[in-house]
Amino acid sequence: MDYVSQLVKNGIRTKIIGNQIHYYETVGSTMDEVHGLAKAGCLEGLIVIAENQIAGRGRTGRNWMSEPGNLLFSVLLKPSVDYISVLQPMIAICVAKGISSATNVKVDLKWPNDLMVESNKIGGILLESSVRDNILEYVVAGIGLNLKLSEKPSNENYDISDLNTFSDNAVNRSELLKEILENLDSYYSRINDPSPIFEEWKNLLGIVGSHIRFNSGEEKHEGEVIYIDENGSLGLKETSGQVKEFMTGDILEVYE
């Protein structure tokens, strides 16, 4: 029995998330599959899971390479546009808590959307929205977690690893997915009160008041993080004294 069938057999305690689960051996991208199903009229909470994806993507159009045995899924959400900015922080919290519950591995959140263990990236989150006639139709949340990698890819900005490297026991994908989905359902039911979610996320990031070295595209920056606002933007007071705001980028180093 595959891990998704095991999840369905055992059941998940959710009201919205996971009301439909589609599992594929191979897809181009789980996010693309959800986009197609959303346009066909599928309900909020739909999940697409794949064992393999051949055209996965990450932030700023980067390729997301994976192999069998990892956890790749996307979720269809239809929030009010007023709460769209809290989705990524909310999902990051839910994934980190789910990993901790299922594996006892402590996950650190790295702004803006990386999941880290002992300074190694083990996963990421990507959101894509569909807007028609200036009205938000839906959001697709893509989540990729490295559970076991035959080879550790190289990256100039951070090391890449997998959860099995840090877990005392082999990660149970069914249990891990169950924990994440139940967390997500619980937090999503409280999305109309976003301030506590933002505060929890900022506390988990733990970088306000710290100094960082930071790349934004081809530009390099260094300075003190003076705020992260409720849009997820990072305010950086550079060594020159100038304050700049960023929505995305790569933090290379954090120091006091």
Side-chain angles (χ1 to χ4, degrees):
M1 180 180 293
D2 64 68
Y3 76 99
V4 178
S5 298
Q6 187 68 51
L7 174 72
V8 173
K9 178 182 177 182
N10 293 341
I12 53 175
R13 298 186 300 272
T14 61
K15 295 180 180 179
I16 296 175
I17 307 301
N19 54 37
Q20 293 182 65
I21 298 177
H22 293 224
Y23 173 73
Y24 300 92
E25 187 66 28
T26 301
V27 296
S29 159
T30 60
M31 298 190 78
D32 289 343
E33 291 295 322
V34 173
H35 276 294
L37 290 165
K39 293 183 186 302
C42 282
L43 298 177
E44 179 178 46
L46 163 80
I47 299 170
V48 170
I49 306 168
E51 188 68 26
N52 302 279
Q53 58 178 11
I54 58 177
R57 56 187 176 274
R59 181 162 46 92
T60 64
R62 297 167 180 168
N63 291 331
W64 180 273
M65 305 302 293
S66 189
E67 57 186 278
N70 295 302
L71 186 55
L72 310 169
F73 67 100
S74 294
V75 184
L76 174 61
L77 301 171
K78 297 183 179 181
S80 163
V81 69
D82 296 333
Y83 306 123
I84 192 170
S85 62
V86 77
L87 286 180
Q88 186 161 292
M90 178 192 74
I91 294 168
I93 293 168
C94 293
V95 175
K97 284 188 168 184
I99 292 172
S100 179
S101 296
T103 69
N104 289 320
V105 174
K106 182 182 181 298
V107 176
D108 297 314
L109 303 184
K110 180 182 176 184
W111 183 90
N113 69 342
D114 291 338
L115 301 155
M116 313 291 289
V117 178
E118 297 180 16
S119 299
N120 293 266
K121 181 173 179 176
I122 54 89
I125 299 160
L126 181 65
L127 301 185
E128 294 179 349
S129 58
S130 176
V131 177
R132 184 175 182 180
D133 296 329
N134 294 319
I135 297 174
L136 177 67
E137 292 186 302
Y138 63 83
V139 176
V140 179
I143 299 163
L145 295 176
N146 298 331
L147 305 190
K148 60 178 182 180
L149 299 175
S150 57
E151 295 183 9
K152 307 292 174 63
S154 61
N155 185 287
E156 63 180 356
N157 294 327
Y158 44 75
D159 293 326
I160 297 174
S161 191
D162 56 54
L163 278 173
N164 274 323
T165 297
F166 302 99
S167 178
D168 293 334
N169 302 299
V171 176
N172 182 317
R173 281 194 290 178
S174 179
E175 181 62 26
L176 174 58
L177 183 57
K178 177 178 182 292
E179 292 286 346
I180 293 171
L181 297 182
E182 290 182 351
N183 284 336
L184 185 54
D185 192 77
S186 174
Y187 273 75
Y188 193 61
S189 70
R190 292 175 269 139
I191 196 172
N192 59 350
D193 184 19
S195 293
I197 298 173
F198 274 117
E199 287 304 313
E200 183 175 2
W201 178 61
K202 286 191 286 186
N203 288 337
L204 289 171
L205 288 173
I207 58 169
V208 175
S210 297
H211 291 76
I212 62 172
R213 289 195 306 108
F214 172 80
N215 284 355
S216 176
E218 298 298 319
E219 297 180 355
K220 299 183 184 298
H221 302 271
E222 185 169 356
E224 180 186 1
V225 179
I226 57 174
Y227 66 82
I228 295 176
D229 68 18
E230 292 202 350
N231 291 315
S233 300
L234 181 148
L236 184 70
K237 184 177 182 180
E238 297 191 301
T239 52
S240 66
Q242 184 178 8
V243 176
K244 293 184 178 180
E245 186 171 280
F246 301 91
M247 283 296 296
T248 189
D250 290 301
I251 294 176
L252 306 180
E253 182 183 4
V254 179
Y255 59 96
E256 296 303 323

